[in-house]
Amino acid sequence: MGSKRPVLLQVAIDRAESLGVIAQVRGIADIIEIGTPLLKRFGIGAIATACELCPDTPVLADTKTVDAGDLEAEMVLGAGARLMTVLSSTSPATHAAVGKVAARFGALVVVDTITESGKSELLPAGATFPESFAYVGVHSPTDMRVAGDQSSAHIDAVLDMRRRGFRVALAGGLGPQTLDAVLEVEPEIVIVGSAITGADDPRRVATWIKDRLRNPGRGWPSDAR
């Protein structure tokens, strides 16, 4: 199964102290994510900041919307976000409400399966979403990984999602050490957070990861951190 187009790099910014990384990855990141904790701390102002720092890079608002879909979509897309997330477990009415607003803004929506993590099959068979819903978000929750769950089941789940016709945005503990496995399953978007934002040289690490996504055969330099 060959990729039809390059894998996109999404850089996730979850902490206030990582806001400075946005400018450092300008021209490298394909998507800048304003993570849920950052949205809760600064509101839609964080989206506007990212748009100012990287005006040529799409911004994703990780809203994890579960209700009031039209209101949340209006807020974050009106603030400049070009993508947002909606929980897969929410009601069809919420999916429809978000999809309608996203279509008006020309924005894209990611169906986030975080609440289904660990299930043998993500999304019920026959699941359909409005046309604006462009990707299925597959990832392992942060709290589970912090608690010691180092499972790679989320990486393995990508193949099933792609066989079912979904485009996939993959997240959860991804970085230089996991890229071999990630490249094997060929998601459309690779989401990297702390491996970049917590690095001594975020731009260097982001550059290497982006280059590796384009050139899978290259190895990780031994002196990089």
Side-chain angles (χ1 to χ4, degrees), residues 3-211:
S3 293
K4 302 280 185 189
R5 48 188 149 179
V7 179
L8 302 180
L9 172 61
Q10 178 172 315
V11 178
I13 310 295
D14 287 321
R15 300 173 180 271
E17 58 266 33
S18 299
L19 279 169
V21 173
I22 296 176
Q24 295 183 56
V25 298
R26 180 176 180 179
I28 302 169
D30 297 296
I31 301 169
I32 296 292
E33 173 189 330
I34 298 300
T36 312
L38 206 57
L39 276 176
K40 289 184 175 182
R41 179 164 182 180
F42 295 117
I44 60 174
I47 298 170
T49 297
C51 291
E52 291 171 3
L53 292 172
C54 285
D56 46 358
T57 305
V59 173
L60 176 143
D62 191 14
T63 53
K64 295 186 175 71
T65 295
V66 70
D67 195 18
D70 55 345
L71 296 178
E72 294 197 1
E74 288 278 359
M75 283 192 295
V76 300
L77 301 180
R82 307 290 7 117
L83 305 95
M84 64 179 289
T85 61
V86 179
L87 292 183
S88 60
S89 56
T90 196
S91 71
T94 298
H95 285 297
V98 172
K100 184 176 180 180
V101 175
R104 179 157 51 81
F105 277 93
L108 301 176
V109 183
V110 178
V111 179
D112 190 332
T113 62
I114 191 169
T115 57
E116 301 182 52
S117 181
K119 290 185 177 180
S120 58
E121 182 179 68
L122 301 179
L123 298 181
T128 59
F129 302 97
E131 186 175 345
S132 302
F133 286 66
Y135 300 94
V136 170
V138 175
H139 60 105
S140 65
T142 299
D143 287 345
M144 287 176 58
R145 287 184 284 106
V146 170
D149 184 348
Q150 300 302 313
S151 170
S152 62
H154 60 308
I155 298 176
D156 300 333
V158 174
L159 286 177
D160 181 59
M161 288 289 97
R162 296 191 71 234
R163 288 191 190 104
R164 293 171 61 188
F166 294 110
R167 294 187 292 175
V168 177
L170 178 65
L174 305 184
Q177 285 69 37
T178 60
L179 276 189
D180 284 341
V182 169
L183 288 166
E184 284 291 322
V185 297
E186 299 181 338
E188 280 71 21
I189 300 174
V190 171
I191 304 170
V192 182
S194 59
I196 290 175
T197 61
D200 294 339
D201 187 342
R203 185 172 181 85
R204 184 185 184 198
V205 175
T207 298
W208 182 86
I209 292 175
K210 177 71 172 285
D211 185 59

